[in-house]
């Protein structure tokens, strides 16, 4: 392989860093003086960035704009918010700059997280794990009766990327009625697809509304009062995309009134929610602290995914998880 | 259909009872003076029982032995403990008495309950739902890192009936390595099967040990100190069969020492466990109050399943869920 200069700023454990060093052959690796504390966090501007042809991590926009050598960015998260603007897309197009993300690394764990939420809801795990009631009592009968197998229920998935594809596979055995919303349907989704024009009807029919929307100009506050009111009474709302896509005050109202049966959120604004936030007070609001994509050996998987794309890049092949 | 006399003792709601009455055509329905409080509870001896050719529910052994007309029992649970003895099987064989159970009614909900447990464990839901930690902090990294996708992990299922079959379907997308233990392998299981002779090796390899054993003479205290010690360090133990199959003192020790990573139990002895029981004190022991088979319209589904078998019985066809 030809030698390249690679700037890498994700926080990596020793095994992952060694794998990266060994995997790039004769290329030069530049590590920043200060490493980000998570794959989501933006690093500090680094004077050495300008030497890099490839950036792996969360490079700053100002560093990208200042760089003359940069050709390819592999974002170390599934989201790529700060690059997902018309301006940046136009800039990248003009410069021939390619942007990939790491959605493959997190898709399986995220999809499992959603299914864990759905099954915890269908089996009433939070309530059941807290009860010590005898068989046969009215409360026990009521708890059993409140469980509802997934089979035959309606699901609406918003945001059709790697996570949705993994989730569809995992949901197949349950024979649910699945609809996906996608900005630009391609016909390869394998389920019924609607655009925003069909959203109102889809929301009215869904028992489970799964929000995997990315954070960009179009999605800010996407789930507002109107959309919560369009949902079927007793529907369950899930968010493992980004917290910014939800109006949390309106979500609170919909949960408090019982219009929605429950919400399961892995993302909020901000993260974590302040201790006195109203959503913490609701028994039907279940929140995990942005752990949906997490899994053992995460940073090693992240590096292996980068190296796989690095090999493709070196060979002039199409990159995986390309987003721009 | 020919007219039959049917004794029915499950506690049924109005819709389910009406469905039963309408579904048996010209046959006569005998309801006991006192109805059981759950499908699991045994009713009282009823003098009218002797008139019945068909019994639906949980008939008493003494009533069965005293009856001259009884030909078919449909047990209203998935377990059929009191009938699962060599003596009763021999008695039924001699008399030509057929016993079916209602495992089809509960299998899907039970399998969902197991998968809900497995995913709650793999996504660390109990811990994650309780944490309010910022992205990037060491505790957050550790929590993400402790999650482990199911793919490629080893599963051992003990007890291969309707629940196991449903569970295998639901686990297929996760591409796990699955082994089942069955008393009498038939070759139609679709996964690797071991008998008790292969159990020690299977226990040593399994990351997830799923106990769906019925309660009978062979299974009492099946999971004892020896078997917990044979398990892989860090394995997770699930029980949705019957509480009697587990030595709870030894389970406590295995969980307390960390030899087992966690246990997820839907059944215990007794149910519920006393308030001062040691298992309640363990953070890695998660207990639901025998709700695994529960689902909306449960008694209606139970009746429909009976009526489906009743039609088969009237037509002289093979019955579903036959156990004796």
């Amino acid at each position: 392989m030809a030698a390249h200069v690679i700037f890498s700023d994700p926080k990596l454990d020793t095994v992952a860093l060694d794998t990266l060093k060994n995997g790039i052959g004769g290329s030069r690796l530049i590590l920043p003086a200060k490493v980000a504390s998570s794959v989501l966090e933006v690093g500090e501007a680094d004077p050495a960035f300008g030497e890099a042809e490839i950036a792996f991590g969360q490079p700053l926009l100002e560093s990208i704009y200042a760089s003359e050598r940069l050709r390819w960015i592999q974002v170390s998260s599934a989201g790529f918010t700060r690059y997902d603007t018309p301006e940046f897309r136009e800039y990248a197009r003009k410069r021939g700059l390619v942007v990939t993300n790491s959605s493959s690394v997190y898709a399986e764990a995220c999809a499992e997280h959603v299914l864990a939420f759905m099954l915890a809801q269908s089996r009433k795990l939070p309530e059941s794990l807290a009860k010590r009631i005898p068989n046969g009592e009215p409360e026990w009968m009521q708890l059993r009766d409140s469980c509802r197998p997934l089979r035959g229920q309606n699901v609406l998935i918003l945001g059709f990327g790697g996570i949705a594809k993994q989730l569809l596979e995992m949901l197949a055995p349950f024979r649910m009625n699945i609809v996906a919303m996608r900005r630009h349907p391609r016909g390869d989704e394998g389920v019924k697809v609607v655009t925003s024009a069909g959203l109102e009807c889809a929301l009215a029919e869904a028992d489970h509304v799964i929000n995997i929307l990315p954070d960009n100009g179009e999605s800010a506050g996407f789930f507002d009062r109107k959309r919560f009111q369009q949902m079927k009474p007793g529907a369950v709302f899930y968010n493992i995309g980004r917290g910014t896509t939800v109006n949390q005050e309106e979500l609170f109202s919909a949960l408090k009134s019982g219009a929605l049966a429950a919400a399961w959120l892995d993302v909020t604004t901000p993260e974590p929610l302040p201790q006195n936030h109203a959503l913490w007070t609701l028994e039907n609001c279940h929140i995990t602290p942005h752990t949906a994509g997490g899994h053992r050996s995460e940073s090693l998987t992240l590096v292996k995914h980068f190296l796989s794309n690095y090999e493709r890049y070196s060979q002039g092949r199409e990159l995986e998880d390309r987003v721009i």
Side-chain angles (χ1 to χ4, degrees), chain A residues 129-179:
Chain A
L129 291 168
K131 296 280 184 195
R132 302 181 182 187
I133 43 178
N135 297 350
E137 290 203 349
E139 195 182 359
W140 181 80
M141 305 285 275
Q142 196 276 326
L143 184 57
R144 282 179 71 104
D145 193 62
S146 70
C147 296
R148 192 172 168 206
L150 294 182
R151 178 184 300 253
Q153 292 193 58
N154 301 335
V155 181
L156 173 64
I157 301 173
L158 295 101
F160 196 91
I163 296 169
K165 285 175 199 162
Q166 289 270 351
L167 182 60
L168 286 182
E169 260 194 66
M170 292 176 191
L171 289 179
F174 297 98
R175 298 180 185 83
M176 306 183 79
N177 307 309
I178 303 176
V179 175

Side-chain angles (χ1 to χ4, degrees), chain A residues 27-322:
Chain A
S27 292
R28 184 157 72 93
L29 186 67
I30 307 175
L31 300 174
K34 182 174 177 297
V35 173
S37 66
S38 87
V39 295
L40 296 167
E41 197 189 319
V42 60
E44 284 179 14
D46 196 291
F49 189 87
E51 300 169 39
E53 171 189 348
I54 300 169
F56 171 41
Q58 300 281 335
L60 292 171
L61 286 177
E62 63 194 68
S63 299
I64 297 169
Y65 290 134
S67 158
E68 288 172 10
R69 299 190 184 167
L70 199 65
R71 302 288 307 277
W72 166 40
I73 300 167
Q74 175 138 335
V75 181
S76 57
S77 54
F80 56 106
T81 305
R82 83 176 63 91
Y83 318 105
D84 193 13
T85 62
E87 297 73 33
F88 190 83
R89 286 180 180 271
E90 177 62 14
Y91 167 80
R93 194 187 59 74
K94 279 192 183 152
R95 266 200 55 176
L97 182 66
V98 170
V99 181
T100 54
N101 69 6
S102 298
S103 66
S104 297
V105 173
Y106 306 104
E108 183 176 50
C110 284
E112 280 197 4
H113 211 82
V114 178
L115 187 58
F117 278 176
M118 293 175 76
L119 286 169
Q121 175 68 27
S122 87
R123 299 312 309 163
K124 299 284 173 188
L125 285 195
E127 297 87 335
S128 297
L129 291 168
K131 296 280 184 195
R132 302 181 182 187
I133 43 178
N135 297 350
E137 290 203 349
E139 195 182 359
W140 181 80
M141 305 285 275
Q142 196 276 326
L143 184 57
R144 282 179 71 104
D145 193 62
S146 70
C147 296
R148 192 172 168 206
L150 294 182
R151 178 184 300 253
Q153 292 193 58
N154 301 335
V155 181
L156 173 64
I157 301 173
L158 295 101
F160 196 91
I163 296 169
K165 285 175 199 162
Q166 289 270 351
L167 182 60
L168 286 182
E169 260 194 66
M170 292 176 191
L171 289 179
F174 297 98
R175 298 180 185 83
M176 306 183 79
N177 307 309
I178 303 176
V179 175
M181 190 191 80
R182 193 174 199 183
R183 280 186 279 188
H184 308 293
R186 296 182 200 168
D188 63 349
E189 292 85 2
V191 290
K192 184 182 168 188
V193 178
V194 296
T195 61
S196 54
L199 182 61
E200 185 172 346
C201 291
L203 283 173
E205 287 177 3
D207 301 296
H208 301 266
V209 177
I210 299 168
N211 174 13
I212 324 179
L213 292 175
D215 175 15
N216 59 32
E218 291 174 49
S219 68
F222 187 90
F223 281 94
D224 55 12
R225 179 195 297 241
K226 186 184 75 184
R227 293 220 161 85
F228 287 124
Q229 284 177 346
Q230 287 169 345
M231 289 185 199
K232 185 174 178 173
V236 183
F237 179 71
Y238 305 84
N239 190 9
I240 58 148
R242 287 289 181 261
T244 51
T245 63
V246 175
N247 180 320
Q248 292 176 163
E249 286 67 38
E250 298 300 342
L251 175 61
F252 174 83
S253 300
L255 289 167
K256 182 80 176 176
S257 72
L260 293 183
W264 292 81
L265 314 173
D266 185 56
V267 288
T268 55
T269 315
E271 291 176 5
L273 289 176
Q275 290 291 346
N276 62 354
H277 196 284
L279 285 175
W280 291 125
T281 66
L282 297 174
E283 283 196 2
N284 57 349
C285 187
H286 311 280
I287 304 174
T288 54
H290 205 131
T291 52
H295 56 276
R296 196 176 288 185
S297 308
E298 191 178 313
S299 64
L300 183 59
T301 316
L302 198 63
V303 163
K304 287 181 176 171
H305 180 250
F306 170 75
L307 289 173
S308 160
N309 254 351
Y310 171 73
E311 191 181 333
R312 289 163 176 266
Y313 178 85
S314 302
Q315 295 167 350
R317 291 158 60 205
E318 192 68 24
L319 303 187
E320 284 189 331
D321 288 341
R322 183 168 174 177

